[in-house]
Amino acid sequence: GENVEQHPSTLSVQEGDSAVIKCTYSDSASNYFPWYKQELGKRPQLIIDIRSNVGEKKDQRIAVTLNKTAKHFSLHITETQPEDSAVYFCAASTGGNKLVFGAGTILRVKS
Amino acid sequence: SAVISQKPSRDICQRGTSLTIQCQVDSQVTMMFWYRQQPGQSLTLIATANQGSEATYESGFVIDKFPISRPNLTFSTLTVSNMSPEDSSIYLCSAEDRFRGTDTQYFGPGTRLTVL
């Protein structure tokens, strides 16, 4: 079955700097890749997603890139702010509805 | 996006008892799922709740331990049976709304379960 690896497990950046989180997946049939942000004690919130027919997607300060050949995708957050501090999860799906999640990245933005 | 609520938000239970968690969506959705998130860990899919048929369980999860119901397109329940301390976790439901042409999954707020 699908396996998703996520790195790094923790990431500390200075406010205003950029943050990059990377995920690799194993199943070449995966075609949907969402990213969720989870604040302490809260539900996971979808922040951006990308499908396999697109190489890059951007939404304000957040962007996701996908490299199907290498089977990896990345989350890029620019101009980080303290409110970006949270746990970020990547996930992959083959379109059969099942999401397989990465282990998560704790992002700390220092002001 | 669909608005999802769960009840209870948290509970403390005794070993050997069972707890039923309810998940309510404010609109009809095609797919509903149940996940477990152990403290400080990622989300693991327990099962897909199918409307009108038996749930589809992932490897490592069985119906006797985690019976699931989905009587209609807006509601599902997960029961954690014969609980042990190892079942202490956050249980989350999610919904995917293909009626609206999207397979994006939205999550409920979760149920924090502590088993003594």
Side-chain angles (χ1 to χ4, degrees):
Chain A
E2 176 66 280
N3 182 51
V4 178
E5 294 190 357
Q6 184 172 344
H7 299 280
S9 56
T10 60
L11 178 60
S12 290
V13 300
Q14 204 66 34
E15 182 178 0
D17 288 350
S18 295
V20 180
I21 303 170
K22 299 181 179 180
C23 290
T24 59
Y25 59 99
S26 61
D27 189 345
S28 57
S30 289
N31 58 12
Y32 174 62
F33 308 93
W35 286 88
Y36 288 86
K37 174 184 179 183
Q38 187 175 32
E39 297 176 35
L40 190 63
K42 302 278 185 69
R43 73 186 78 191
Q45 297 269 16
L46 180 76
I47 56 171
I48 196 167
D49 56 10
I50 192 168
R51 300 181 191 281
S52 58
N53 59 346
V54 175
E56 183 173 356
K57 184 177 178 180
K58 190 173 181 180
D59 183 3
Q60 299 183 337
R61 297 187 296 110
I62 295 172
V64 57
T65 58
L66 172 65
N67 183 326
K68 286 191 296 182
T69 303
K71 289 190 283 187
H72 68 69
F73 56 112
S74 300
L75 178 71
H76 305 254
I77 305 174
T78 59
E79 301 173 22
T80 53
Q81 301 166 4
E83 50 265 38
D84 294 329
S85 296
V87 182
Y88 291 81
F89 293 100
C90 64
S93 169
T94 58
N97 312 319
K98 292 165 46 173
L99 286 179
V100 177
F101 283 82
T105 296
I106 300 171
L107 174 63
R108 297 191 183 95
V109 181
K110 297 174 287 187
S111 56
Chain B
S1 64
V3 176
I4 305 172
S5 59
Q6 284 183 235
K7 287 195 296 187
S9 58
R10 60 178 62 227
D11 208 341
I12 300 173
C13 300
Q14 295 298 318
R15 180 195 300 258
T17 62
S18 298
L19 176 72
T20 295
I21 302 167
Q22 299 179 6
C23 179
Q24 179 74 56
V25 189
D26 69 341
S27 60
Q28 293 185 339
V29 292
T30 48
M31 310 292 294
M32 295 182 74
F33 307 89
W34 287 97
Y35 289 84
R36 183 171 72 184
Q37 186 176 29
Q38 295 181 309
Q41 302 295 312
S42 185
L43 291 83
T44 301
L45 181 64
I46 297 171
T48 302
N50 301 308
Q51 196 267 329
S53 64
E54 202 168 274
T56 305
Y57 290 84
E58 297 302 306
S59 176
F61 298 97
V62 296
I63 187 170
D64 290 346
K65 176 67 176 177
F66 298 100
I68 287 171
S69 78
R70 190 171 173 199
N72 56 50
L73 293 174
T74 64
F75 185 79
S76 179
T77 65
L78 168 75
T79 299
V80 186
S81 302
N82 188 24
M83 289 183 285
S84 67
E86 293 71 38
D87 295 319
S88 297
S89 190
I90 297 172
Y91 293 85
L92 297 126
C93 69
S94 73
E96 180 186 291
D97 189 4
R98 293 203 175 195
F99 287 141
R100 299 185 192 179
T102 174
D103 53 3
T104 301
Q105 282 191 34
Y106 298 97
F107 284 86
T111 296
R112 182 179 295 270
L113 171 62
T114 302
V115 184
L116 302 177

